[in-house]
Amino acid sequence: MRRSEFTVTADHHQFLVYSGNSPVITAASAGDTGDGLVAVSDGGLRIVTGTNYGPLAVRVELHNNEPPPPTAEWTEVSEVSFRVRVGPMEVGTLMDGPVPDGPDLAFAGTGWYRIRIAARGRDEASGGSESPTGPLFEHYVIAVWRAPRVPALSSRRSDRTGRAFRREPLGEKLDEAVEGPARDGFHTLVGLLRSGAATAVPGRTRIGLESLARSQPETVTSLLHNGFFWPGWLGGAGHHRAGEWTSTLVTAEDGLGIAGKAAFGIGGVVTSWDYRRLTEPSQDDPFPRFEECLPEPSVVDIGWVSVEGGTRVKLRHENLPELLGPAVTDLWRYYLARLVRHCKTGTWGDHPWDDARRTGGRPQASRRPAG
């Protein structure tokens, strides 16, 4: 057995195994997450990661025969068959191509190979850091051997990241008294933002809410001070870099989202809050771009203090267009309940507008927020 260990950078929740067959990313495969760990196309493999952007530890093993199954700490394990028509076959990143001096997985020339991918640490990494200190927390083993083609096999499925990418329910739903108004408010908000009516009525409003998390303040701080937490809390996909964050409101394809720039302090966070939409290409403006939906960003101020029984979380949302006030208020009640649930369980439930996405349907006003 020949072994190589190296670091790969995740980009858009993935890294790749390139082959010489054809480009690894095509229009048909660009959004494919396969079984939640690996997706196969004619050009290679896409391996799905918990880390959005950041380093991963990868070990490649080249075997003469099928190796023993991975040990119990590997939470997701999948096997696929892949035919190499043109070599080499190399591990790499989305933007930078194959890893320099990396091993050739097609070690025996062209033909069929069996590839087993084992992953651990994806859940820990999904809310982590772009530059984690100490040992990397997301690890992969890619074991390869020559074998005839057989059906793909997912032999282990036990992390939350895999469930999310497989569109499976992630946890218990919140009470319908919270989710019902949030569902209605979400569709109202999407309609106002899409139509441009969000700022048609002059005037500004202010939202003030509070909630009790039956957790220590350190738990709340660890979440709200982590910019990678915000996309999953508010919507799904998104990013955080240097205090700036985004979260999809519906899907990346629908082009509606939230964006802000946050300042993190002791026991609090203050962030700008703007809704944005993707423009439609036209003859005068042929390239889609994001434009702000509000004349000026609103401001969200969240603070938390220790109280008997847990942590009191107080929220103020200021300078919000008056027409958006009722819908956003219902959404903030839901977001705060979602935060409280996550403090207690460490897991997400689906958003109340996610059902249509998971079943392939489409709700009246939109599709869903990713994740």
Side-chain angles (χ1 to χ4, degrees), residues 59-277:
R59 183 171 80 237
V60 170
E61 298 177 353
L62 307 179
H63 296 267
N64 293 327
N65 299 290
E66 180 178 352
T71 50
E73 72 268 22
W74 299 94
T75 56
E76 297 263 330
V77 180
S78 297
E79 292 183 13
V80 298
S81 292
F82 188 82
R83 184 184 181 186
V84 177
R85 300 194 309 273
V86 180
M89 184 162 57
E90 303 168 288
V91 177
T93 64
L94 179 64
M95 300 303 294
D96 296 330
V99 173
D101 302 320
D104 182 0
L105 279 62
F107 61 92
T110 58
W112 284 100
Y113 289 83
R114 192 67 169 171
I115 304 175
R116 177 191 293 155
I117 298 96
R120 62 180 172 89
R122 294 200 301 174
D123 290 347
E124 293 80 358
S126 62
S129 167
E130 292 181 42
S131 301
T133 58
L136 299 181
F137 40 46
E138 188 163 356
H139 295 253
Y140 294 84
V141 171
I142 303 174
V144 185
W145 64 98
R146 287 299 296 261
R149 182 184 186 183
V150 293
L153 172 66
S154 297
S155 60
R156 203 171 298 169
R157 294 184 173 188
S158 60
D159 67 23
R160 296 191 305 274
T161 299
R163 293 203 299 274
F165 280 108
R166 289 190 293 270
R167 310 295 196 241
E168 297 172 359
L170 301 180
E172 294 182 6
K173 296 174 72 65
L174 296 170
D175 193 281
E176 180 62 20
V178 172
E179 292 208 347
R183 185 186 302 112
D184 294 340
F186 170 80
H187 293 310
T188 298
L189 176 66
V190 167
L192 291 170
L193 295 176
R194 281 211 174 112
S195 68
T199 58
V201 177
R204 295 287 184 270
T205 190
R206 174 181 180 271
I207 298 169
L209 297 170
E210 61 179 62
S211 188
L212 176 65
R214 298 196 178 279
S215 306
Q216 295 301 310
E218 294 79 9
T219 301
V220 178
T221 301
S222 69
L223 296 176
L224 292 184
H225 276 190
N226 185 341
F228 290 91
F229 172 82
W230 287 60
W233 177 35
L234 304 172
H239 74 267
H240 169 261
R241 185 174 291 112
E244 296 186 8
W245 59 271
T246 66
S247 179
T248 55
L249 185 61
V250 189
T251 67
E253 292 81 6
D254 284 323
L256 282 172
I258 318 170
K261 186 168 185 178
F264 304 103
I266 298 175
V269 56
V270 178
T271 181
S272 60
W273 185 280
D274 204 347
Y275 294 104
R276 62 181 196 171
R277 60 179 170 238

